[in-house]
Amino acid sequence: MRMVDIIEKKRDGQQLTKEEIRFVVDGYTNDTLPDYQMSAFLMAVYFQGMTAEETAELTLAMLDSGDQIDLANIHGIKVDKHSTGGVGDTTTLVLAPLVAAVGVPVAKMSGRGLGHTGGTLDKLESVPGFHVEITEEQFIELVNRNQVAVIGQSGNLTPADKKMYSLRDVTATVNSIPLIASSIMSKKMASGADAIVLDVKVGAGAFMKNIDDARKLADAMVEIGNQVGRNTLAVISDMNQPLGFAIGNALEVKEAIATLQGNGPDDLQELCLVLGSKMVLLAEKAKTEEEARTMLLQTMKDGTALSKFKEFLAAQGGDASVIDDMTKLPTAKYQIPVPAPSNGYVSEIIADEVGTAAMLLGAGRATKESTIDLSVGVVLHKKVGDAVNKDEPIATIHSNAENVEEVTKRIIDAYTFTDQQPEKKPIIYQ
Ligand code: URA
Ligand code: CA
């Protein structure tokens, strides 16, 4: 088989065979195919797309490129959740204890990654003592005992995806539905999930800018999941503004605590209830989505969701008393309000811009080696549809540096104001 023939075939819009797809993925993983041929191949896929069969085969080839986590010793149906990325997405912090509180086993493998804020791991590490350096045996034992544990990414999972994603990043081929779908689904499958709930974000702050593309990506991932025997559902949710109010590591932990008590931001609570209900349903802990939602709301009301979070933090060395005394979480030296530049209504908040503002404060990593400041970030006070008066605070900057001129400007620029009250956008589209 010759790579040049496969590139040509895809360039001309023909369907590749299983053997051809395996040849590409295996060759690239073990360094027998050069970056320039892989780049050309990815660009051909970008323009020509892939059929459902090709996409499923690509996913399986990436899955087989490395190790897979075996969660067979965990009792029950392991349901994982994946979001296609957003700004201030606190859902995992809320969902893990929330669904565990109704008996869904949550065996979360989590990485640090690059972004506006740290990953779920970094956020959890703002709780003093909390750590994810546990053995696989301890991890499995904890999930069986408490229904929830988080372990740092270990082993050699989907090396094909790591290499391909890095190359896509620098060849303008990230935004391809079959490439995104196979990248996400291969990782979810490698980390051992029996069933998967996908949160596909749509809007200015997401990969998918419009509902049609979001639907195509959701359909592609659901189809892969179901073809390979992992029960998969997708929700399409809004990313036309940041989710919730908090963007920052410890700030998001505080927001998650409030949400587990039923006092969180409306959009974050609603998204967690919708995603959580689907997880409960796939784990067969409820018969209908309504029943699942009632169970989850009950755990928020009666305190069991919050107790589950405490139990989970303590089991991994964390100081669970932060939940009753949030001043024990890392706190930035300065809290600086951002004044509204005019009267009116908020009509848009560009999520990426707010994310970059948080990153400039030190909440996220620019390179793998960067250290992050867990205490800093941005808390929004006004969201789309809210009325504002000139000079009223639209957000608060949490910073360890006194000079926040650039960050302030970014936040103000992220907001658009209008005279007429705009319609509130739904958080869930489908
Ligand atoms: N997230 C992933 O993991 N992969 C992609 O290709 C895009 C988003
Ligand atoms: Ca948030």
Side-chain angles (χ1 to χ4, degrees):
M1 229 178 271
R2 293 195 318 154
M3 183 64 174
V4 65
D5 300 326
I6 298 175
I7 297 170
E8 187 176 297
K9 195 171 170 187
K10 185 41 71 186
R11 182 200 68 192
D12 295 343
Q14 295 175 52
Q15 178 163 346
L16 302 177
T17 65
K18 284 184 180 191
E19 292 71 29
E20 286 164 336
I21 290 171
R22 292 269 163 179
F23 177 83
V24 172
V25 173
D26 294 348
Y28 192 57
T29 309
N30 61 31
D31 293 326
T32 55
L33 292 180
D35 283 349
Y36 54 80
Q37 285 192 309
M38 193 61 179
S39 305
F41 174 79
L42 292 168
M43 192 57 86
V45 171
Y46 180 91
F47 280 113
Q48 294 291 0
M50 280 186 148
T51 64
E53 295 82 57
E54 286 177 301
T55 311
E57 193 55 34
L58 178 61
T59 308
L60 290 173
M62 296 197 331
L63 173 66
D64 291 342
S65 71
D67 302 337
Q68 291 181 45
I69 307 293
D70 183 4
L71 299 179
N73 289 328
I74 295 176
H75 316 307
I77 301 171
K78 279 75 68 182
V79 187
D80 204 353
K81 182 238 43 157
H82 183 84
S83 148
T84 62
V87 176
D89 191 349
T90 318
T91 51
T92 303
L93 286 180
V94 178
L95 279 171
L98 182 64
V99 303
V102 299
V104 178
V106 180
K108 191 88 193 152
M109 170 159 290
S110 199
R112 293 183 193 280
L114 306 176
H116 299 120
T117 65
T120 300
L121 270 194
D122 301 292
K123 292 175 191 174
L124 286 168
E125 281 174 357
S126 52
V127 176
F130 185 88
H131 65 92
V132 292
E133 287 79 28
I134 52 177
T135 63
E136 222 169 294
E137 291 71 46
Q138 287 172 313
F139 175 61
I140 288 171
E141 192 194 308
L142 282 177
V143 181
N144 279 333
R145 189 167 72 213
N146 300 333
Q147 284 70 54
V148 51
V150 177
I151 188 169
Q153 202 129 3
S154 65
N156 182 32
L157 301 190
T158 57
D161 176 62
K162 284 197 189 83
K163 275 195 87 177
M164 286 168 64
Y165 202 4
S166 307
L167 188 64
R168 286 165 58 207
D169 227 2
V170 293
T171 54
T173 51
V174 168
N175 236 326
S176 150
I177 287 171
L179 296 179
I180 297 174
S182 55
S183 165
I184 291 173
M185 292 301 288
S186 63
K187 280 180 285 206
K188 287 290 117 181
M189 286 156 60
S191 55
D194 300 316
I196 301 160
V197 175
L198 298 161
D199 175 20
V200 177
K201 304 283 192 191
V202 61
F207 283 119
M208 298 295 126
K209 308 292 177 200
N210 63 66
I211 190 85
D212 284 344
D213 284 344
R215 208 173 278 134
K216 281 185 199 145
L217 177 60
D219 286 345
M221 292 195 288
V222 168
E223 177 138 4
I224 295 170
N226 294 333
Q227 273 200 28
V228 299
R230 317 269 174 128
N231 214 345
T232 305
L233 289 174
V235 168
I236 298 173
S237 75
D238 182 70
M239 204 14 92
N240 279 303
Q241 60 178 336
L243 183 65
F245 299 122
I247 302 107
N249 299 282
L251 294 170
E252 289 185 40
V253 171
K254 290 181 198 175
E255 184 164 77
I257 292 169
T259 307
L260 287 167
Q261 291 171 300
N263 300 324
D266 291 345
D267 58 352
L268 178 61
Q269 165 161 323
E270 180 58 23
L271 182 59
C272 288
L273 285 171
V274 169
L275 295 173
S277 302
K278 296 200 183 292
M279 292 172 79
V280 173
L281 206 61
L282 288 185
E284 298 177 3
K285 297 287 177 190
K287 294 224 163 37
T288 65
E289 220 166 303
E290 289 69 35
E291 184 191 350
R293 189 183 172 99
T294 306
M295 287 160 71
L296 295 175
L297 275 169
Q298 182 60 28
T299 68
M300 288 177 167
K301 277 200 203 101
D302 66 18
T304 47
L306 201 63
S307 314
K308 184 55 80 180
F309 195 31
K310 281 187 191 172
E311 182 179 76
F312 157 58
L313 293 175
Q316 296 192 222
D319 177 1
S321 72
V322 298
I323 288 179
D324 302 310
D325 180 4
M326 290 200 266
T327 63
K328 290 183 180 172
L329 288 167
T331 305
K333 205 154 139 202
Y334 303 103
Q335 275 78 42
I336 304 158
V338 178
S342 59
N343 292 328
Y345 294 93
V346 179
S347 62
E348 192 183 4
I349 309 172
I350 302 171
D352 274 355
E353 284 295 313
V354 182
T356 304
M359 184 137 180
L360 286 172
L361 292 164
R365 283 187 190 84
T367 69
K368 272 184 260 179
E369 287 71 36
S370 321
T371 49
I372 60 179
D373 185 339
L374 296 169
S375 68
V376 301
V378 179
V379 177
L380 306 177
H381 305 307
K382 299 289 178 180
K383 304 255 318 223
V384 172
D386 290 344
V388 294
N389 294 314
K390 188 172 178 339
D391 294 331
E392 183 186 9
I394 51 175
T396 299
I397 296 170
H398 293 247
S399 173
N400 282 318
E402 207 171 348
N403 183 344
V404 290
E405 213 175 304
E406 191 187 346
V407 175
T408 304
K409 185 176 178 315
R410 285 236 179 217
I411 294 171
I412 291 176
D413 286 349
Y415 274 80
T416 306
F417 302 94
T418 51
D419 294 336
Q420 299 285 317
Q421 182 161 26
E423 258 180 70
K424 287 227 179 203
K425 290 218 169 84
I427 178 69
I428 308 287
Y429 290 104
Q430 194 179 332

